[in-house]
Amino acid sequence: MSDSEAPPAVAPEGVSGAPGLSQEALEIASGYAFAGPALDLGALLWDGRCLPDARIRIPLPVLNRHGLVAGATGTGKTKTLQLIAEQLSVQGVPVFLADIKGDVSGISAPGVSNDKVLARAREVHQEWTPTACPAEFYALGGMGRGIPVRATVTSFGPVLLSKVLQLNQTQEQSLGLIFHYADQKGLELFDLKDLRAVVTFLTSDEGKAELKGIGGLSPATAGVILRSLTAFEAQGMSPFFGEPEFDTSELLRTASDGRGTVSVLELPEVQDKPQLFSTFLMWMLADLFHDLPEVGDLDKPKLVFFFDEAHLLFTGASKAFLESITQTVRLIRSKGVGVFFVTQTPKDVPSDVLAQLGNRVQHALRAFTPDDQKALKATVKTFPNSTYDLGEVLTGMGTGEAVVTVLSEKGAPTPVAATRLRAPQSLMGPVDPAALDRAVQASPLYGRYAQAVDRESAYEKLAARDAAAAQAAAQTAAEAGRAPAKGGGRAKKEPSVVEQVVGSGIFKSLARSMGTQIGREITRSLFGTARRRR
């Protein structure tokens, strides 16, 4: 060999059968040659060829460093989620998936072999075997197929509720004062009628004195909140709030064989309520954050939570809401939970959140319009320096291909790698509705959450107060009518009916029951969600 000839590239340890790779391809492949457990995403694409022995992987321990799966509609994001979820389940890691279009339920059934699947498997040297994952299916408020998921209004908190009611910042702060009042007075807000009863009381003649005691809450703002709440109920939102409240620790379950359970939240029935379901997902994440202990960095996550249609969460969000999301994502990592946001472009995610997403799977983007081209340039800038022309690569990739960069086992970003992804081994499509119904009803969780209950709470307490006040007023009026008239001298001024009612024993008893109760006030944290589980 002459001095001018370069020595052949040698594959690094962990990159098998790849001595023919170019130096650039070897450098990329070596960045993914992890020693510990990892998820296999696919094979490296370089210079127009798929290099099946250059495996692109994500180390299992770094999945709690969060991630982003992005790409235009139809580029394969859902199949990527399915691929990652399957491998996490095999590794004993529970997974949460939101199924907006109704095509993720197939993860519970073995895949179907066909020429396309087998060709993909051969391209990436994948040993493809039809495999089903243990799965549970949920539905918000029981709307659709799945175990009903509900939250109490108290637990949901004022910040999240303001998001779904589309309140402005001033109204959001005022709603927080109303929650604080209810917490102090022992008025449990289990469902929407409880909150409506409290706001109605505060805006009534009888409640004006209480309203004055809540700093900064004007009657006009309280009235706006009441109207928004009434309109919200009229849109059929009541079933989502109430008891039994879903215990988010159910998402951490594993199957009897040690595989992680895949929890699928079925959302086709509420596709037209994006503000609601996206905010409910955030409630679930916030609730997990409150309840889980600090564990630091683990060998594998306790849960990986995929937040689909993430742009809906941030659209129209208040400053307080965005700050709470940022803080939750930053801190929940130390509790063993990884969060993957799924959306079309990275610009859908605020920069403070995007900066915390260490693992990136970017599917193809379109560049048909000036806005598309702007989004493409912004996306390229979010990646580390690369030997690829990412603008060209991202617009030229086919379905099931993506640009990947993840965190290594040492926490450093890996080289950017164009990747042909593996094929999911579960069914790539929905399961039969009858089979899904049978799976839901056979679940041990179904009996726990299927039937809604309505315990005594703020609505019943305030209704009893009104009834007692009316009874006391009638009794006082009757006694006044029977009293004999006294002649001579100046008549002693009789107390008004209101004064008589307020002074009655029944009213005082009710007032005491609604007064501040030691140990009853609820501690609230991020988003104003309740930290004390009832």
Side-chain angles (χ1 to χ4, degrees), residues 173-516:
Q173 294 169 348
S174 297
L175 185 61
L177 293 173
I178 293 171
F179 269 73
H180 179 66
Y181 171 81
D183 291 349
Q184 284 189 317
K185 298 297 182 182
L187 294 171
E188 298 89 350
L189 305 177
F190 291 155
D191 50 31
L192 291 178
K193 74 176 186 297
D194 290 326
L195 180 58
R196 178 163 42 80
V198 171
V199 181
T200 300
F201 167 68
L202 290 173
T203 55
S204 68
D205 292 340
E206 295 84 0
K208 285 180 179 178
E210 298 286 323
L211 190 64
K212 290 180 180 179
I214 307 176
L217 179 59
S218 70
T221 301
V224 170
I225 293 172
L226 181 60
R227 289 191 294 273
S228 297
L229 188 58
T230 302
F232 187 67
E233 287 183 285
Q235 294 169 19
M237 304 297 189
S238 296
F240 305 108
F241 297 93
E243 293 187 306
E245 181 176 75
F246 182 69
D247 185 348
T248 52
S249 66
E250 309 284 12
L251 304 179
L252 305 177
R253 299 167 65 231
T254 56
S256 57
D257 60 4
R259 289 183 296 166
T261 298
V262 180
S263 299
V264 182
L265 183 63
E266 294 290 329
L267 296 172
E269 297 295 325
V270 293
Q271 284 188 54
D272 59 339
K273 301 175 177 64
Q275 293 279 354
L276 178 71
F277 72 68
S278 63
T279 312
F280 243 93
L281 297 185
M282 197 66 235
W283 168 76
M284 297 173 83
L285 197 58
D287 195 65
L288 283 166
F289 174 79
H290 297 159
D291 289 351
L292 291 176
E294 294 279 342
V295 294
D297 290 326
L298 302 173
D299 292 336
K300 63 182 180 181
K302 286 186 175 182
L303 172 73
V304 175
F305 192 104
F306 288 94
F307 212 123
D308 207 355
E309 299 292 342
H311 66 281
L312 297 172
L313 181 68
F314 304 111
T315 301
S318 68
K319 182 179 179 181
F321 188 85
L322 291 175
E323 288 175 349
S324 296
I325 292 174
T326 303
Q327 189 175 359
T328 300
V329 173
R330 181 181 296 121
L331 298 178
I332 202 169
R333 176 182 70 81
S334 64
K335 300 197 173 189
V337 176
V339 183
F340 275 70
F341 291 96
V342 185
T343 188
Q344 293 203 0
T345 71
K347 71 181 183 66
D348 294 333
V349 180
S351 57
D352 287 345
V353 177
L354 188 63
Q356 300 176 58
L357 310 183
N359 304 299
R360 302 275 299 279
V361 180
Q362 176 67 60
H363 287 266
L365 291 174
R366 311 302 180 212
F368 299 143
T369 69
D371 286 344
D372 290 342
Q373 294 168 6
K374 184 178 180 180
L376 175 62
K377 290 179 181 178
T379 298
V380 170
K381 290 179 180 178
T382 64
F383 279 91
N385 291 333
S386 170
T387 55
Y388 293 96
D389 180 345
L390 287 180
E392 182 178 340
V393 171
L394 287 172
T395 54
M397 289 188 304
T399 301
E401 296 176 349
V403 169
V404 174
T405 180
V406 302
L407 294 179
S408 70
E409 293 164 313
K410 296 180 179 180
T414 59
V416 176
T419 306
R420 181 158 293 163
L421 300 169
R422 294 159 66 101
Q425 298 186 140
S426 56
L427 181 65
M428 289 187 278
V431 298
D432 179 71
L436 197 155
D437 288 339
R438 288 194 296 271
V440 169
Q441 293 175 17
S443 169
L445 303 181
Y446 184 75
R448 190 178 307 170
Y449 296 107
Q451 188 62 45
V453 297
D454 188 9
R455 291 191 293 155
E456 182 186 55
S457 48
Y459 175 82
E460 288 78 13
K461 288 182 177 181
L462 289 170
R465 170 198 167 281
D466 291 341
Q471 179 183 350
Q475 180 179 347
T476 301
E479 290 175 354
R482 290 195 301 269
K486 295 183 179 180
R490 180 176 294 179
K492 183 179 179 181
K493 182 181 178 181
E494 293 292 331
S496 68
V497 173
V498 173
E499 290 171 334
Q500 294 175 57
V501 171
V502 171
S504 68
I506 295 176
F507 190 89
K508 289 179 178 178
S509 175
L510 280 166
R512 284 194 298 270
S513 70
M514 290 171 56
T516 303

Side-chain angles (χ1 to χ4, degrees), residues 25-87:
L26 271 177
E27 288 176 359
I28 295 173
S30 64
Y32 293 86
F34 309 121
L39 310 184
D40 278 313
L41 292 180
L44 179 67
L45 288 170
W46 181 260
D47 198 22
R49 295 187 300 133
C50 178
L51 309 176
D53 293 308
R55 298 159 61 195
I56 305 303
R57 311 161 74 214
I58 304 179
L60 191 61
V62 305
L63 283 164
N64 70 330
R65 303 296 181 91
H66 312 316
L68 176 73
V69 178
T73 301
T75 55
K77 296 192 299 294
T78 301
K79 300 302 177 285
T80 298
L81 305 189
Q82 197 168 340
L83 171 66
I84 296 174
E86 289 174 354
Q87 296 186 59

